[in-house]
């Protein structure tokens, strides 16, 4: 895999950053949709990519078959699909065995791993504004999860599965970021969805999960909201930003989860939670200042 940094571009599309944030907002609702489905957690992941694949292929159109890729690029796409399948399976299972707050915390480990990748592996330098943004985002994310996170032996299995999902998602994002330099977002997402479907189905059957839904609405919602819209927006935006910006943007998901829990399930949202969300928002504004300047 080549160095996962965006190609040098004079102008970033005006809608790229809003797409990045909106994609994370929509993806934050995925756990709720998984809980509402009447199939197994891995089966829900299978339907997510399977039902979305034809829509994504239609959106890609002729670009899906018109792009010439080398054997190395096809290998990268293959690994992206496998990483994505493993990530979905691990995270959906983790939701069942730990608190949603814990799953959100560990599942978004990419928020820390992507900036570390940029600093340690890619040896990218960051300015003082970006350093302050990273510090604010880390504190804000910790505050958001601190009030609801619960470290307990009963949660260990789910915590480890969710942490594994975070590691796998980091690998997926890095590979996809590289692939986005050569293919449009819809083609990348369509191919990775097709590749991810068979191993997810095999895993669901091997685990004895219920695969066929009695109610199709939740799994259709997972496919359209999480895969087509949420992941589509993220895949579009990912080619334009550094791992630091991508990592910080993932902290939008815990903030949205806390707000959704307050609005939908009457879960307490304290003034401290509000401060954490505000710090994340300030960090996202700061991290964009050098690019705008």
């Amino acid at each position: 895999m080549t160095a996962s940094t965006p190609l040098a571009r004079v102008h970033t599309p005006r809608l790229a950053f809003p797409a990045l944030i909106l994609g994370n907002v929509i993806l934050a609702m995925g756990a709720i949709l998984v809980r509402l489905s009447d199939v197994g957690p891995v089966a829900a992941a299978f339907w997510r990519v399977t039902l979305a694949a034809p829509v994504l292929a239609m959106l890609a159109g002729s670009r899906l078959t018109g792009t010439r890729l080398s054997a190395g690029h096809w290998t990268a796409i293959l690994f992206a699909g496998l990483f994505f399948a493993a990530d979905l399976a691990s995270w959906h299972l983790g939701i069942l065995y730990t608190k949603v707050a814990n799953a959100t915390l560990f599942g978004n480990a990419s928020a820390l791993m992507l900036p570390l990748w940029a600093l340690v592996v890619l040896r990218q330098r960051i300015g003082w504004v970006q350093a302050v943004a990273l510090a604010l985002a880390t504190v804000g994310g910790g505050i958001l999860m601190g009030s609801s996170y619960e470290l307990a032996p009963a949660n260990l299995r789910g915590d480890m599965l969710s942490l594994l999902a975070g590691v796998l998602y980091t690998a997926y994002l890095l590979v996809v970021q590289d692939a986005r330099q050569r293919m449009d977002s819809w083609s990348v997402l369509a191919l990775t969805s097709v590749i991810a479907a068979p191993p997810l189905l095999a895993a669901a059957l091997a685990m004895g999960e219920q695969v066929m839904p009695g109610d199709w609405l939740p799994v259709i919602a997972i496919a359209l909201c999480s895969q087509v819209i949420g992941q589509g927006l993220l895949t579009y935006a990912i080619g334009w930003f550094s791992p630091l910006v991508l990592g910080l943007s993932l902290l939008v998901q815990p903030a949205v989860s806390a707000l959704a829990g307050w609005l939908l399930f009457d879960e307490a949202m304290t003034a401290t939670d509000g401060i954490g969300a505000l710090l994340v928002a300030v960090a996202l504004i700061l991290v964009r200042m050098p690019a705008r300047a």
Side-chain angles (χ1 to χ4, degrees):
M1 185 178 66
T2 60
S4 297
T5 54
L7 292 177
R9 292 178 171 89
V10 177
H11 299 292
T12 299
R14 182 174 298 179
L15 295 179
F17 193 66
L20 181 65
I21 300 304
L22 181 58
N24 277 292
V25 169
I26 295 174
L27 286 171
M29 307 304 292
I32 296 174
L33 295 174
V34 172
R35 288 285 182 93
L36 292 176
S37 67
D38 58 2
V39 297
V42 180
F46 163 73
W47 287 117
R48 167 177 168 167
V49 296
T50 300
L51 295 177
V55 180
L56 295 168
M58 181 179 65
L59 291 170
S62 60
R63 292 169 296 181
L64 184 60
T65 56
T67 304
R68 295 182 180 273
L69 297 176
S70 67
H73 298 151
W74 279 113
T75 301
I77 292 291
L78 174 62
F79 273 105
L82 295 177
F83 281 139
F84 191 54
D87 159 60
L88 287 179
S90 299
W91 191 61
H92 282 203
L93 284 169
I95 293 172
L96 295 185
Y97 297 113
T98 189
K99 296 178 61 179
V100 173
N102 291 30
T104 304
L105 172 66
F106 289 115
N108 282 284
S110 302
L112 177 61
M113 294 178 182
L114 284 172
L116 285 177
W117 175 273
L119 294 172
V120 177
V121 179
L122 302 182
R123 300 183 182 277
Q124 292 181 351
R125 288 187 173 185
I126 63 173
W128 70 269
V129 174
Q130 292 175 314
V132 171
L134 182 59
L136 289 176
T138 302
V139 174
I143 289 175
L144 278 170
M145 304 312 301
S147 60
S148 54
Y149 172 73
E150 181 180 326
L151 185 63
N155 297 329
L156 181 61
R157 182 180 180 184
D159 290 347
M160 292 298 99
L161 284 168
S162 299
L163 181 59
L164 175 61
V167 174
L168 291 166
Y169 194 57
T170 303
Y172 164 77
L173 289 175
L174 290 171
V175 176
V176 166
Q177 188 179 49
D178 185 63
R180 274 287 287 115
Q181 312 306 328
R182 298 165 180 83
M183 298 183 71
D184 68 284
S185 57
W186 296 122
S187 296
V188 170
L189 199 50
L191 289 173
T192 54
S193 296
V194 170
I195 293 169
L200 285 171
L201 177 59
L205 293 173
M207 296 176 64
E209 290 186 0
Q210 178 180 334
V211 175
M212 293 303 297
D215 182 5
W216 283 91
L217 185 59
V219 293
I220 291 175
I222 293 173
L224 292 180
C225 294
S226 295
Q227 192 68 3
V228 176
I229 302 176
Q231 204 67 40
L233 289 170
L234 186 63
T235 305
Y236 161 74
I238 199 174
W240 300 96
F241 299 106
S242 68
L244 173 64
V245 178
L246 294 176
L248 295 188
S249 73
L250 294 176
L251 289 173
V252 169
Q253 294 190 37
V256 173
S257 296
L259 181 61
W262 177 53
L263 294 175
L264 299 177
F265 304 113
D266 293 325
E267 295 180 356
M269 185 172 181
T270 64
T272 304
D273 294 323
I275 293 173
L278 180 61
L279 289 176
V280 171
V282 171
L284 289 170
I285 294 172
L286 287 176
V287 83
R288 291 292 293 142
M289 286 180 64
R292 291 184 182 277

